[in-house]
Amino acid sequence: MKAQKSTLKLILFTFGMFGFGFALVPLYDVFCDITGLNGKVTGPTITSYDQELSTREVKITFITSNNKQMPWSFKSSSPQMKVETGQDYLMDFTFTNTTNKPMIAQAVPSVSPGRGARYFHKTECFCFEQQFLEAGESITIPVKFIIDPELPKDIPSLALGYTLFDVTEEFANLQAIN
Amino acid sequence: MFRAIKFTLSLLAALTANFSFGAWDDLNMSPGATQLSQEIFGLHMTVFYVCLAIGIAVLLAMAFILFKYRKKEGVEPADFDDSTALEITWTVLFALILIVLAVPATSVMIKAYDNEEGDINILITGHQWKWQYEYIEDEVGFFSNLSTSLDKRNNLAPKDENYLLEVDEPLVIPTNTRVRFLITANDVIHSWWVPDFAIKQDAIPGFVNTGWTYVNEPGVFRGQCTELCGQYHGYMPIVVKAVSPEEYSTFINDKKEAKIQQALLTEKLWSTSELMEIGEATYQKNCVACHQVGGRGIPPVFPSLVGSEIVMRNKARHIEILMEGVQGAAMASYAEQLTEVEIAAVITYTRQAWGNAETGDGKIVIPKEILDYKTNKL
Amino acid sequence: MSAVIDSHHDDHHHGPAKGFSRWLYTTNHKDIGSMYLWFSLVMLFIGGAMAMVIRAELFEPGSQIVSPEFYNQMVTNHGLIMVFGVIMPAFVGFANWMIPMQIGAPDMALPRLNNLSFWILPVAFGILLSTFFMEGGAPNFGWTFYAPLSTEYAPPTVTFFIFSVHIMGASSIMGSINIITTILNMRAPGMTLMKMPLFVWSWFITAYLLIAVMPVLAGAVTMMLMDIHAGTSFFKAGGGGDPVLFQHIFWFFGHPEVYIMILPAFGIVSHIIETFSRKPIFGYSSMVYAIASIALLSFVVWAHHMFTVGMPIAGELFFMYSTMLIAIPTGVKVFNWLSTMFKGSLTFETPMLFAIAFVALFTIGGLSGIMLAIAPADFQYHDTYFVVAHFHYVLVPGALFSLLAAAYYWIPKWTGKMYDETLGKVHFWMSFISVNLTFFPMHFVGLAGMPRRIPDYAMQFADWNMMVSVGAFLFGISQLLFLFIVLKCIYNGKAATTEVWEGAKDRGFEWTVDSPAPYHTFSSPPSMESLKSSS
């Protein structure tokens, strides 16, 4: 009888740990959001700053990268930019679908150093949604951003990288399901 | 037991006596070429010596105990089995040793994570199975492939001292300059490691990691990919050439020139034999790994190009595959990796070689067609 | 196993059934323990054969006998088989044989579950090994199967791999539930927790670790399955996921897993050293607390496998400190073993030789572990042969030697026959010498810059690699000798006494029953009086 109670408790614990494994997924996201640990920042954030705050100059490097088998041309209009913290800025990115089929792309951002991610506020970004381009079509979209004046003094520059992924198939599947 | 030990030692001596002196040089890592690498080396040696001391102390204590307390006629074993005082003593002692080690470890860590700006920024992308280097400020870039020949790898030619550690295009950086590396990957996780700089950062698809270095003296530094990334993980080395800032400027200017020249080359008129020559070289460098020397591949994973329908009769699809890769397969897009000339040449070569020209349409492709495809005039 | 067939003088009317159905349906802990042990021995030779292929390829620079792709399959499956098919099942085999006897119980708490736990293992490994014959080849992404190499870029057999891992996990979880329930509910009267034999303690804690982390592994491979087949993006950056998340989840399992593979070894070694020093284990309670604290700490060190992944400095420092901390209870155990032998009366039969070698060589492995814990230095060690040297030291002259020691120690009790002591010593010395010849030079090539998981290497690593390969071939041959010794013992060994070892007197219930141990033991619980108090 006692043995049965032990067994039952242990079985429950097992399922609990399985659930914990899956809970690690949102937990990781929450942890990374709060700390900006993996350089990902999701969604638009604040749009303007109190002008009284002291500002400094920061160098921003823009990186564009294509994931495997994503043949689009993807470039920023300039590789670097010197900015003042607390001010709005804009950088244009040009996407060209160089294939002969319509495609859907997802740009995934990554800020380096990861610690700086939470100070890099994107007010408008093409990475918030997918980009659909017809064969041969080209589009230029800006990323609008503000660097938080509270960026720690020991981070003099930030790199914002975008990796472009082909998500045409995933969306086709979703369409099919709906 | 002691006879056994003597035998073992003489056996080991006999075995190792035949090794060249070189073997004994490679017992430890190198202090490297930067201040950070030397600090890490110093930390490594400190921790090593502490561990060595602990190890020798334990082994000596053991040897003593094993010898002194062998069962002897008429000698009874003691029966004590506890001593809280002793337990606390060695716990505290060991903890103190570790705390002492943690202090320099922490300070070196802080130095390694230094976020100071780089004077130049280089984007490093790991691909299956090569590295891509792009100089962000100067907007030039290139791929870096293993250049050790297949003959050497297949034991048909003698190997030299840079076997598996040589590339066609090394990464060139200036000395006395703070260089920042931004590291990512194009497909699976790779890892960029140059032991002499003590930099090792994983290259993760979709994410950017940072590293930095400051090299004082010119030199050539070699490293390897250090994260399993597929079958040719062991065949994507890293070579960094640190040169004077003047030489570096010349290098960058040469690269910019070459970029302009490439564009011009694409426009010129090409003969089939010129294309075939470049095509064959391009094939040897970029395609043999999967499609093999005779073009037969390793089906079904790596299709045969000999007698292939696409290679023989479908020029449009042939170009498309080179430019876009094949979804869900190992064939990558070569639009970034090869110039228009190289792509046109390698397509021409495969359409002509191995009897494909006789049995197929034998159509050639000129660089202009590739440029047109890119700008979508096709 | 044949010991029980031989005891025809035993007039117990509950004799075992005959033929194959005996083994298929048995719920007897001794039978099941034997099956686990034979299974793990077979897997040792299969995983060992893969190691031989690896070392043959690495004997000299250049491509030798296998393609780089097949080499990756060998590396991957060598790891999977040794971890999940040898070390873990072997320890479970000893748990099955010895825990009921050591606590004075007639069998495990859940005998039919016990049978199921064993029999799904050959199924799991049948599936895994059959992938070698499938299109695309066997899994080739390392035993740590990082995404996306193991998801988007994996061969089609990855699905079978996932299925196989699920089954292995189920086996471990069921076995652990059984072990904990047995230990909590079936101890002889008077055997409080702090009077339990150390092997039982080590398995008690290991079983909790298993139940805590195997389900997390199951979660990780399920997420992989979903990413591959159901369009999710747990580990795909393009879909909003993160490949590094895989590493966190995997190592949250992976680090406790390696302690799972060593804690029972600690228990075994304590017993053997006690017996052959003829002196009680020094610091019983410290030993228990040490095992417990190692187990607890093992949950907060996982990211020391990920120092180069781009973690922020706070994370790197935290995991460096916690990893250094875990060295302390481990060190305490080593000092306690030495203190047990100190002023004892030592003899050096084969089990003791393996146990002593364990202490010495595990210490070396532990010290290289301390070096690896130093995060900035780890930038130079990570994913090189220095790591390979470290974990092989703690797993081979560590875990495997403890298993061999335990086999020699308890085989006379199981079979009623003594093994050939001279051959046992030959096996020991061959193993000891070849294991060091094989794994010590790996420290050197790792420091000199040789990465892991490569089928070919630069010239400066050649000399040491040749020595390593020679050592490995010798080590493989030495284990064939072990097989011979076991078979010779079973079919031709001299009769063993009840006590078996002079120093084992009064040190455990297992030494109070006949040799060979009757098919059913302790049908009524024994009295604690029959044991010298060892706590």
Side-chain angles (χ1 to χ4, degrees):
Chain A
M1 197 46 231
K2 263 184 77 190
Q4 276 181 337
K5 263 178 74 180
S6 303
T7 310
L8 213 59
K9 279 195 238 168
L10 292 168
I11 293 176
L12 279 163
F13 182 46
T14 306
F15 283 108
M17 287 310 292
F18 184 73
F20 175 73
F22 275 88
L24 282 178
V25 180
L27 270 172
Y28 179 74
D29 274 341
V30 167
F31 193 64
C32 287
D33 250 0
I34 296 177
T35 57
L37 284 187
N38 65 353
K40 264 166 67 166
V41 192
T42 49
T45 46
I46 47 135
T47 45
S48 65
Y49 270 96
D50 176 6
Q51 300 303 316
E52 309 291 311
L53 288 169
S54 70
T55 63
R56 52 181 248 253
E57 192 181 86
V58 182
K59 185 159 88 170
I60 312 292
T61 307
F62 296 94
I63 296 168
T64 54
S65 182
N66 281 23
N67 193 245
K68 191 170 180 133
Q69 288 160 3
M70 181 29 148
W72 288 16
S73 153
F74 177 39
K75 289 264 172 307
S76 58
S77 61
S78 139
Q80 283 179 332
M81 195 172 180
K82 286 206 170 78
V83 305
E84 288 281 322
T85 56
Q87 304 256 33
D88 300 83
Y89 289 94
L90 174 160
M91 169 57 70
D92 276 325
F93 286 81
T94 306
F95 299 75
T96 310
N97 180 349
T98 55
T99 70
N100 50 14
K101 292 183 288 293
M103 283 175 72
I104 305 173
Q106 172 75 57
V108 174
S110 178
V111 175
S112 196
R115 240 183 354 120
R118 47 209 271 255
Y119 302 97
F120 198 119
H121 303 291
K122 298 197 230 44
T123 54
E124 242 180 75
C125 180
F126 47 77
C127 56
F128 298 155
E129 62 222 354
Q130 294 72 44
Q131 302 303 321
F132 175 84
L133 286 181
E134 292 289 352
E137 199 186 334
S138 226
I139 189 174
T140 300
I141 317 175
V143 169
K144 296 196 177 143
F145 61 94
I146 303 175
I147 304 299
D148 196 319
E150 306 220 329
L151 179 73
K153 290 283 184 298
D154 65 328
I155 302 181
S157 71
L158 289 165
L160 172 63
Y162 283 103
T163 310
L164 205 62
F165 289 83
D166 177 3
V167 294
T168 317
E169 221 177 279
E170 280 89 332
F171 274 84
N173 289 339
L174 269 177
Q175 294 267 4
I177 292 169
N178 297 339
Chain B
M1 175 138 115
F2 292 107
R3 257 182 286 155
I5 296 176
K6 269 203 270 182
F7 171 70
T8 311
L9 287 173
S10 38
L11 179 67
L12 272 173
L15 278 172
T16 53
N18 283 328
F19 288 148
S20 64
F21 187 63
W24 298 102
D25 283 340
D26 291 306
L27 286 176
N28 198 1
M29 63 193 201
S30 141
T34 68
Q35 194 182 21
L36 180 66
S37 71
Q38 276 152 12
E39 296 216 25
I40 288 180
F41 177 78
L43 179 64
H44 153 75
M45 289 311 286
T46 305
V47 179
F48 170 67
Y49 284 136
V50 169
C51 291
L52 186 68
I54 297 174
I56 291 179
V58 169
L59 292 176
L60 279 176
M62 267 188 87
F64 168 74
I65 291 171
L66 294 177
F67 181 71
K68 180 120 197 270
Y69 297 105
R70 298 172 345 264
K71 179 174 174 185
K72 281 184 232 93
E73 213 33 66
V75 180
E76 284 299 304
D79 65 358
F80 62 79
D81 66 358
D82 211 341
S83 167
T84 316
L86 209 54
E87 300 276 13
I88 294 181
T89 310
W90 56 48
T91 306
V92 168
L93 213 68
F94 198 24
L96 282 172
I97 295 177
L98 291 173
I99 292 174
V100 164
L101 288 177
V103 173
T106 306
S107 85
V108 174
M109 196 67 195
I110 292 173
K111 289 202 190 114
Y113 265 73
D114 192 337
N115 278 309
E116 221 189 279
E117 227 178 282
D119 296 323
I120 63 171
N121 290 284
I122 301 178
L123 175 64
I124 300 174
T125 307
H127 294 254
Q128 281 178 320
W129 290 280
K130 61 202 87 179
W131 294 97
Q132 180 185 16
Y133 300 117
E134 292 169 84
Y135 295 84
I136 293 173
E137 286 87 357
D138 294 300
E139 297 184 283
V140 290
F142 49 86
F143 280 79
S144 185
N145 293 281
L146 172 70
S147 62
T148 302
S149 70
L150 269 174
D151 273 352
K152 287 186 182 161
R153 284 153 57 185
N154 288 323
N155 309 309
L156 297 169
K159 303 174 178 67
D160 60 32
E161 63 170 347
N162 288 326
Y163 175 72
L164 290 189
L165 292 176
E166 50 197 349
V167 298
D168 52 3
E169 290 254 29
L171 174 66
V172 178
I173 63 173
T175 53
N176 295 304
T177 313
R178 202 181 152 89
V179 181
R180 193 161 73 134
F181 301 110
L182 294 157
I183 301 166
T184 185
N186 172 265
D187 35 43
V188 296
I189 301 180
H190 300 264
S191 187
W192 199 79
W193 182 39
V194 180
D196 285 315
F197 299 166
I199 299 180
K200 183 183 289 157
Q201 280 289 289
D202 286 358
I204 302 169
F207 294 85
V208 178
N209 276 334
T210 1
W212 63 271
T213 194
Y214 189 103
V215 185
N216 297 303
E217 295 294 324
V220 178
F221 308 103
R222 301 171 195 272
Q224 293 185 262
C225 175
T226 39
E227 185 58 62
L228 179 64
C229 53
Q231 58 179 309
Y232 296 118
H233 162 60
Y235 300 95
M236 44 185 291
I238 294 148
V239 179
V240 184
K241 227 175 128 191
V243 298
S244 70
E246 297 77 42
E247 248 187 272
Y248 173 75
S249 288
T250 313
F251 167 79
I252 293 291
N253 286 330
D254 285 348
K255 282 289 175 200
K256 287 181 175 169
E257 259 303 302
K259 209 168 151 184
I260 299 172
Q261 287 305 321
Q262 236 351 287
L264 292 173
L265 269 177
T266 311
E267 299 289 320
K268 107 170 199 187
L269 281 167
W270 289 84
S271 74
T272 306
S273 53
E274 284 174 311
L275 287 173
M276 285 294 283
E277 205 183 308
I278 297 182
E280 188 175 356
T282 308
Y283 184 87
Q284 293 303 331
K285 200 165 96 165
N286 292 282
C287 321
V288 281
C290 303
H291 290 291
Q292 308 298 300
V293 174
R296 296 207 172 269
I298 310 173
V301 184
F302 305 129
S304 171
L305 303 175
V306 181
S308 141
E309 197 45 48
I310 295 172
V311 176
M312 292 197 303
R313 278 176 274 274
N314 196 341
K315 190 175 102 169
R317 178 73 187 128
H318 198 167
I319 295 176
E320 196 177 60
I321 290 177
L322 263 288
M323 296 303 288
E324 301 183 22
V326 177
Q327 270 294 342
M331 178 67 185
S333 149
Y334 280 82
E336 295 282 296
Q337 289 186 46
L338 299 176
T339 63
E340 288 86 359
V341 175
E342 286 168 320
I343 295 179
V346 81
I347 295 178
T348 300
Y349 171 71
T350 51
R351 295 186 81 80
Q352 302 285 313
W354 316 307
N356 281 340
E358 284 78 50
T359 33
D361 61 23
K363 287 194 179 153
I364 68 164
V365 174
I366 57 171
K368 185 100 188 349
E369 288 177 76
I370 304 299
L371 184 63
D372 285 344
Y373 184 99
K374 269 191 178 169
T375 51
N376 214 252
K377 295 202 193 91
L378 257 178
Chain C
M1 96 186 174
S2 45
V4 195
I5 303 175
D6 286 340
S7 60
H8 40 254
H9 59 270
D10 182 8
D11 53 40
H12 209 299
H13 60 280
H14 261 310
K18 299 269 177 275
F20 185 66
S21 45
R22 165 185 171 183
W23 301 104
L24 192 57
Y25 298 115
T26 182
T27 54
N28 180 289
H29 73 102
K30 301 184 177 75
D31 277 353
I32 293 173
S34 301
M35 289 196 290
Y36 267 107
L37 289 169
W38 279 114
F39 173 77
S40 63
L41 189 62
V42 169
M43 298 307 292
L44 178 69
F45 287 116
I46 296 179
M50 295 180 187
M52 298 300 109
V53 170
I54 293 170
R55 289 317 318 179
E57 181 61 44
L58 293 178
F59 184 71
E60 280 179 313
S63 299
Q64 313 299 341
I65 54 171
V66 293
S67 69
E69 209 284 317
F70 188 72
Y71 180 85
N72 286 349
Q73 294 180 34
M74 288 287 98
V75 163
T76 303
N77 288 281
H78 165 76
L80 288 169
I81 288 176
M82 292 305 197
V83 169
F84 294 107
V86 179
I87 303 291
M88 289 172 75
F91 278 128
V92 175
F94 282 107
N96 261 290
W97 252 108
M98 303 313 301
I99 292 178
M101 290 212 292
Q102 288 188 332
I103 61 175
D107 207 300
M108 299 288 287
L110 305 162
R112 280 171 292 185
L113 190 70
N114 207 9
N115 173 296
L116 183 67
S117 305
F118 170 73
W119 276 111
I120 59 179
L121 273 188
V123 172
F125 283 92
I127 294 175
L128 184 65
L129 290 171
S130 71
T131 58
F132 276 100
F133 303 103
M134 297 181 188
E135 200 177 300
N140 56 8
F141 30 68
W143 90 273
T144 53
F145 55 102
Y146 283 2
L149 184 63
S150 62
T151 51
E152 294 166 75
Y153 295 84
T157 51
V158 66
T159 308
F160 288 101
F161 160 78
I162 291 172
F163 190 32
S164 176
V165 168
H166 267 300
I167 300 176
M168 293 171 201
S171 168
S172 293
I173 292 171
M174 295 192 296
S176 302
I177 291 179
N178 212 345
I179 288 171
I180 294 175
T181 308
T182 307
I183 294 175
L184 283 179
N185 295 292
M186 294 170 70
R187 279 167 286 133
M191 182 178 277
T192 58
L193 285 176
M194 289 308 268
K195 287 208 171 90
M196 290 198 307
L198 277 174
F199 178 63
V200 179
W201 257 117
S202 69
W203 248 115
F204 185 50
I205 292 173
T206 302
Y208 272 110
L209 277 181
L210 273 163
I211 306 187
V213 301
M214 289 306 288
V216 176
L217 179 69
V221 300
T222 307
M223 291 179 215
M224 268 172 74
L225 190 71
M226 286 163 66
D227 265 16
I228 294 171
H229 293 290
T232 56
S233 295
F234 287 100
F235 312 125
K236 272 189 240 171
D242 187 350
V244 177
L245 173 66
F246 177 85
Q247 295 185 36
H248 281 291
I249 300 181
F250 177 82
W251 285 115
F252 185 82
F253 147 78
H255 198 82
E257 166 66 18
V258 309
Y259 287 103
I260 286 166
M261 291 197 279
I262 201 69
L263 294 182
F266 291 162
I268 289 169
V269 163
S270 294
H271 281 262
I272 294 177
I273 290 186
E274 186 180 59
T275 297
F276 293 94
S277 307
R278 294 161 180 74
K279 195 162 154 282
I281 191 77
F282 185 88
Y284 172 90
S285 359
S286 300
M287 292 299 243
V288 174
Y289 298 139
I291 294 183
S293 37
I294 291 171
L296 271 154
L297 279 170
S298 73
F299 283 102
V300 293
V301 299
W302 78 87
H304 67 226
H305 299 271
M306 299 163 58
F307 278 145
T308 60
V309 102
M311 267 195 296
I313 192 173
E316 305 258 321
L317 289 176
F318 171 78
F319 285 106
M320 173 166 82
Y321 300 145
S322 59
T323 307
M324 291 171 82
L325 205 63
I326 213 171
I328 299 175
T330 319
V332 165
K333 293 188 81 68
V334 172
F335 301 141
N336 281 0
W337 286 318
L338 291 180
S339 306
T340 307
M341 295 191 282
F342 184 73
K343 293 205 170 156
S345 178
L346 307 172
T347 52
F348 302 102
E349 288 86 334
T350 308
M352 184 59 162
L353 288 174
F354 275 106
I356 292 172
F358 173 94
V359 177
L361 300 178
F362 178 79
T363 300
I364 294 180
L367 291 170
S368 61
I370 293 182
M371 290 174 72
L372 288 163
I374 308 292
D378 185 59
F379 290 161
Q380 300 285 57
Y381 312 140
H382 176 72
D383 240 282
T384 66
Y385 263 78
F386 192 78
V387 180
V388 180
H390 161 72
F391 67 70
H392 279 97
Y393 257 87
V394 292
L395 282 174
V396 185
L400 187 67
F401 272 26
S402 79
L403 290 166
L404 294 170
Y408 282 109
Y409 186 56
W410 280 313
I411 248 186
K413 177 55 60 185
W414 301 338
T415 61
K417 313 238 175 92
M418 279 305 288
Y419 60 86
D420 183 328
E421 181 59 48
T422 311
L423 281 183
K425 290 201 165 82
V426 171
H427 173 224
F428 169 73
W429 285 108
M430 281 179 71
S431 300
F432 179 79
I433 293 169
S434 57
V435 97
N436 281 297
L437 212 63
T438 309
F439 299 113
F440 204 76
M442 288 186 183
H443 293 107
F444 304 145
V445 291
L447 289 180
M450 181 175 171
R452 280 175 79 167
R453 296 167 165 169
I454 56 176
D456 193 1
Y457 49 80
M459 297 306 286
Q460 65 261 36
F461 309 129
D463 290 340
W464 290 123
N465 266 289
M466 189 179 276
M467 185 191 244
V468 167
S469 290
V470 169
F473 299 144
L474 280 172
F475 187 73
I477 293 171
S478 313
Q479 306 325 307
L480 287 170
L481 177 58
F482 176 68
L483 177 62
F484 176 74
I485 293 172
V486 169
L487 292 171
K488 182 171 187 244
C489 171
I490 292 172
Y491 291 108
N492 220 359
K494 281 207 293 254
T497 60
T498 302
E499 195 186 63
V500 184
W501 309 109
E502 180 199 318
K505 193 168 189 332
D506 301 334
R507 287 195 205 281
F509 284 133
E510 73 260 38
W511 307 111
T512 63
V513 303
D514 286 339
S515 309
Y519 197 55
H520 296 298
T521 42
F522 302 117
S523 307
S524 34
S527 151
M528 290 292 291
E529 298 303 308
S530 58
L531 283 181
K532 194 193 300 190
S533 165
S534 53
S535 55

